[in-house]
Amino acid sequence: MRGLVRNNFYSMSSNIYLSFIIAAVLALVSVIFREALLTSMILAVQIFIFVVNTGASLRVDETSKWSKFELTLPIRRHTIVSAKYVSFALLILMGILSSLLTLAACYVTGLSLDPSIVTFSYGFGLTLAITSAALMYPVMLKIGTEKNELIVFFSGFVAIGIMLLLAALLAPFTGGMQFRHPLVSIVSACTSVLLFITSYFVSVRIHRTKEFR
């Protein structure tokens, strides 16, 4: 398992470094401009930006024929899929850590943020990141990685759609359709986690019947 996870990160190492640089620049932007709304958007983007590397990793595996080679290793297919999802979770964790550095920078520089804004930022960022990872892998596993950028954008739109749908369903409890209500953010993040878990079992099923070339 560790070797598979290490290989996943090796295939997207350059992109991860770039993501860290972008996250650091965004943190600097939030400190310079000192706008609460801008910082809110930056926190969500920082959480999401690392998951985008998923498409690049899967593309490298396919073009290098690694997806076919790893089937010859003394491991089961569900272990291969598990390693992918562990990698996705670690990417999301990296995004969370980078966003925490932004919050720390804001605190040190005296920029006060409304707790509701922070809750929305993390709820939206986590929903976007987790949902995207949950949708990208099984779809790419099924149809290939040639259109990975399109799949990434599609996954992002689905994540936003989930939040809008939940905002509508929770309207009786939030005093109307409040997209930025903390309850919507929390429920959206929890829903994305359930989708992530479901995605794992779907991916295992697809992987077991897929013939890699």
Side-chain angles (χ1 to χ4, degrees):
M1 173 71 79
R2 289 183 180 179
L4 292 174
V5 173
R6 189 179 297 113
N7 177 73
N8 291 337
F9 277 88
Y10 177 77
S11 63
M12 55 183 169
S13 57
S14 59
N15 289 336
I16 291 178
Y17 292 140
L18 180 60
S19 296
F20 272 115
I21 293 173
I22 294 175
V25 171
L26 290 174
L28 183 61
V29 168
S30 68
V31 172
I32 293 175
F33 289 93
R34 301 177 63 80
E35 290 288 340
L37 182 59
L38 176 61
T39 301
S40 172
M41 295 172 59
I42 286 175
L43 291 173
V45 171
Q46 286 177 320
I47 296 173
F48 171 69
I49 196 171
F50 288 87
V51 172
V52 177
N53 296 310
T54 300
S57 174
L58 297 175
R59 181 64 176 166
V60 170
D61 287 350
E62 187 172 291
T63 56
S64 65
K65 303 299 182 182
W66 170 255
S67 298
K68 181 178 180 180
F69 174 76
E70 65 183 350
L71 295 178
T72 64
L73 300 175
I75 51 177
R76 296 185 177 182
R77 291 202 176 200
H78 73 81
T79 303
I80 296 174
V81 176
S82 297
K84 294 292 185 186
Y85 279 81
V86 169
S87 300
F88 301 157
L90 291 175
L91 287 171
I92 295 170
L93 179 60
M94 289 180 184
I96 294 174
L97 292 176
S98 68
S99 69
L100 291 177
L101 291 176
T102 301
L103 287 179
C106 291
Y107 177 78
V108 171
T109 56
L111 175 61
S112 60
L113 297 174
D114 191 300
S116 63
I117 292 179
V118 176
T119 301
F120 167 74
S121 300
Y122 276 87
F124 180 63
L126 287 172
T127 301
L128 193 61
I130 298 173
T131 301
S132 296
L135 294 177
M136 280 191 291
Y137 184 57
V139 172
M140 290 184 184
L141 195 60
K142 186 69 176 180
I143 69 175
T145 61
E146 290 80 5
K147 299 180 179 180
N148 64 81
E149 294 87 358
L150 181 60
I151 295 173
V152 170
F153 281 115
F154 170 75
S155 301
F157 281 121
V158 171
I160 295 173
I162 288 176
M163 288 199 74
L164 288 173
L165 176 61
L166 290 174
L169 294 175
L170 293 171
F173 307 99
T174 58
M177 187 172 176
Q178 302 290 335
F179 185 70
R180 295 185 178 182
H181 194 282
L183 180 61
V184 175
S185 300
I186 294 171
V187 174
S188 297
C190 292
T191 301
S192 64
V193 171
L194 292 176
L195 181 61
F196 189 80
I197 295 172
T198 303
S199 171
Y200 167 76
F201 291 104
V202 172
S203 295
V204 169
R205 185 178 182 86
I206 294 174
H207 202 287
R208 284 175 175 170
T209 58
K210 183 177 177 65
E211 294 184 5
F212 294 91
R213 300 179 179 179

